[in-house]
Amino acid sequence: MDCWKGPISHSWIYPTVIICANGFFTTMRPSESFLTPYLTGPDKNLTIEEVTNQILPVWTYSYLALLFPVFLLTDYVRYKPVLLLQGTSLIVTWLLLLFAHGVVAMQLVEFFYGMVTATEVAYYAYIYSVVSTQHYQRVTSYCRSVTLVAATVAAVLGQLLVSLAHVSYFYLNAMTLASVSLAFLCAFFLPMPQRSMFFHRKGAPEPLAGPDKGLAAGTAHGPSSCPEERSPDAAARGPSPQPQAGSARPQGHMLSVLLQLARDLRDCYGSRKLLYWSLWWALATAGFNQVVNYVQVLWDWRAPSHSSAVYNGAVEAIATFLGSATSMAVGYVKVNWDLSGELALGIFSALDAGSLLLMHFTDNIWACYAGYLVFKACYMLLITIATFQIAVNLSMERYALMFGFNNFVALVIQTILTVVVVDSRGLGLDISTQFLIYGSYFTVITGIFLIRSMHTIISIKCRNTSVAAESTAP
């Protein structure tokens, strides 16, 4: 038996299979596409206003409060305990959804779900701590693909059960509870990593990833799940080697890690190219998360679930498929992103803005569905490009740090939007007016990057003209 355990524990296959199983059951949530109809239906008997202005905003506040401490804790405890925490939070979330009632109980649901989303970083970072760099590209593909498959299967299954078998939303949530419980069990079988990216690095760092390996690390969260120019000298080097955990007092080691993280952030954002890609990432992700969080409320507003057929699961399945297809298409498109990248950001952000404005002005639920499909496909396309442009020029450690900071900035912006636009203590706007605000928000993003792209293209053209004139001068 010991002879069998040895090779298994040192193989990259075993942890990959277990983490993929964990990711599949974590994402396999057939009830998620029907959250708003469940809350506003006879099971919970809440109003649209309570769901929109009092319950859903708690997720944003919880996520913001937990993201930074969980990010540091994840690396400090080496991932596995945080995966167990995620599983526990998922189980508590669905137990409350099934058996608790009232606005306060549902706000507690959103708090624990904020914990779930804050701990997602552990899923994408864990596998890089237990396999060697030569397997990064393959395991990234497996981990990312399994979550996309699970999301699609869950949405399709949920829609079929609701439309054909007339299964109630309560039993869909019971199925989700069973799935996330299996994910929790899978996390127990994960081997404990001996190293992490920041707090438990080896004395001599591994060779830094080249462009291909950097891309593999980057694409791990390029839909999830994440699911990204460097300065000539600073960004070309990886993070400075950290002292080993036992070589200094814990407080001193913690301070040295935080100081190194601050220096790495300064070097990363010192590149103007990376700064603009990160700016789009933060702005667009804030808007995307806000739309995804409230789109079910808009659908229920346009076609109330108590009197209309609900196709939320089918729409989410198609949206996931389109997002996967557009993300994959990026790998086959040959474009000079230095010249045309910001123009692409502006053009597709304009499509996002148009889709959201359509969802505001139309009363047709099918037009709302179509607008959401276009919106999600465009975002997934652009976030994949942004991920590639950032990750291909950074080591894995710096990419993880930049990814986390970009998402933190996005969450701050999202929180501001929530407080001002959604929360009952702010403007507390109705859901249709909210989507007018979100469409206008993406219009501003479009203007920023179209102006920036015109400046970039004109500058490059002028520079090339000047070089050509000098070369032809006598």
Side-chain angles (χ1 to χ4, degrees):
M1 181 64 70
D2 291 336
C3 295
W4 177 78
K5 285 183 177 179
I8 287 291
S9 62
H10 291 88
S11 171
W12 65 273
I13 298 176
Y14 175 75
T16 302
V17 170
I18 300 300
I19 195 66
C20 284
N22 173 268
F24 180 87
F25 289 117
T26 297
T27 315
M28 178 64 182
R29 305 194 290 250
S31 64
E32 201 161 44
S33 299
F34 303 93
L35 176 62
T36 297
Y38 176 66
L39 294 178
T40 58
D43 292 288
K44 301 302 174 186
N45 203 29
L46 299 167
T47 67
I48 283 287
E49 290 73 20
E50 287 174 331
V51 172
T52 306
N53 305 126
Q54 297 180 46
I55 295 173
L56 293 181
V58 175
W59 170 76
T60 303
Y61 306 147
S62 171
Y63 191 10
L64 178 63
L66 295 170
L67 180 62
F68 185 70
V70 168
F71 176 77
L72 293 179
L73 178 68
T74 299
D75 195 88
Y76 187 73
V77 301
R78 290 174 288 176
Y79 314 119
K80 180 177 177 176
V82 176
L83 287 169
L84 293 171
L85 174 62
Q86 182 189 58
T88 303
S89 300
L90 281 165
I91 292 172
V92 172
T93 297
W94 260 271
L95 283 173
L96 289 171
L97 267 177
L98 284 167
F99 303 114
H101 297 272
V103 171
V104 175
M106 295 304 104
Q107 287 176 331
L108 197 57
V109 166
E110 293 298 317
F111 171 81
F112 279 103
Y113 194 68
M115 176 74 77
V116 171
T117 49
T119 54
E120 282 179 353
V121 63
Y123 174 76
Y124 293 100
Y126 170 86
I127 198 65
Y128 300 122
S129 68
V130 294
V131 304
S132 60
T133 54
Q134 70 192 69
H135 299 300
Y136 278 3
Q137 184 169 355
R138 184 177 296 182
V139 299
T140 298
S141 173
Y142 294 158
C143 291
R144 180 64 192 147
S145 298
V146 77
T147 57
L148 291 173
V149 169
T152 304
V153 170
V156 171
L157 178 62
Q159 187 65 63
L160 292 175
L161 290 174
V162 168
S163 297
L164 301 182
H166 305 291
V167 173
S168 71
Y169 300 134
F170 179 88
Y171 289 110
L172 283 186
N173 281 289
M175 293 173 61
T176 298
L177 176 61
S179 180
V180 298
S181 299
L182 287 173
F184 179 68
L185 291 177
C186 288
F188 272 107
F189 294 95
L190 290 169
M192 186 69 180
Q194 299 304 308
R195 62 187 176 94
S196 64
M197 282 188 281
F198 301 113
F199 286 102
H200 303 282
R201 300 182 64 200
K202 293 181 178 179
E206 293 185 28
L208 295 180
D212 291 340
K213 293 173 183 172
L215 175 58
T219 52
H221 214 113
S224 132
S225 299
C226 75
E228 275 159 284
E229 192 174 314
R230 70 175 82 178
S231 58
D233 52 351
R237 64 180 183 268
S240 300
Q242 304 294 333
Q244 295 184 7
S247 63
R249 292 178 302 173
Q251 297 89 344
H253 181 51
M254 172 75 76
L255 180 60
S256 68
V257 169
L258 293 177
L259 289 175
Q260 183 60 48
L261 296 181
R263 286 192 291 268
D264 283 347
L265 278 175
R266 178 197 62 196
D267 290 341
C268 289
Y269 290 104
S271 163
R272 183 172 296 182
K273 176 184 174 182
L274 287 184
L275 178 62
Y276 280 107
W277 282 102
S278 297
L279 175 63
W280 178 87
W281 182 320
L283 290 173
T285 298
F288 175 79
N289 288 341
Q290 198 74 351
V291 169
V292 170
N293 201 30
Y294 293 95
V295 71
Q296 285 189 35
V297 179
L298 179 70
W299 293 342
D300 206 71
W301 177 276
R302 296 295 186 218
S305 55
H306 61 80
S307 60
S308 306
V310 177
Y311 297 100
N312 297 9
V315 174
E316 286 292 353
I318 297 171
T320 302
F321 174 78
L322 289 177
S324 303
T326 54
S327 298
M328 186 175 295
V330 172
Y332 297 93
V333 176
K334 303 300 181 183
V335 175
N336 182 353
W337 295 113
D338 290 339
L339 178 63
S340 305
E342 290 164 354
L343 180 61
L345 293 179
I347 292 173
F348 286 100
S349 294
L351 290 176
D352 279 340
S355 301
L356 295 175
L357 292 174
L358 170 67
M359 295 165 74
H360 163 72
F361 286 110
T362 185
D363 290 327
N364 188 297
I365 185 62
W366 296 103
C368 285
Y369 287 154
Y372 178 70
L373 294 177
V374 173
F375 172 79
K376 191 167 185 178
C378 289
Y379 172 81
M380 297 306 294
L381 172 70
L382 292 181
I383 198 67
T384 303
I385 297 170
T387 299
F388 171 78
Q389 288 299 300
I390 294 175
V392 75
N393 292 294
L394 296 176
S395 67
M396 185 185 71
E397 290 86 351
R398 283 192 168 177
Y399 170 73
L401 179 62
M402 205 166 185
F403 170 83
F405 190 78
N406 286 347
N407 279 329
F408 178 75
V409 174
L411 195 51
V412 170
I413 298 171
Q414 184 185 348
T415 302
I416 295 172
L417 284 171
T418 300
V419 170
V420 174
V421 176
V422 182
D423 200 301
S424 56
R425 290 164 292 186
L427 296 177
L429 299 176
D430 65 84
I431 190 62
S432 179
T433 307
Q434 286 182 39
F435 273 74
L436 175 62
I437 301 297
Y438 304 148
S440 303
Y441 174 81
F442 272 90
T443 301
V444 173
I445 297 176
T446 299
I448 292 172
F449 286 93
L450 285 179
I451 293 172
R452 170 65 188 170
S453 67
M454 293 299 102
H455 176 267
T456 300
I457 292 171
I458 292 172
S459 297
I460 292 175
K461 296 292 185 183
C462 290
R463 191 182 309 123
N464 291 341
T465 301
S466 175
V467 169
E470 289 176 1
S471 63
T472 58

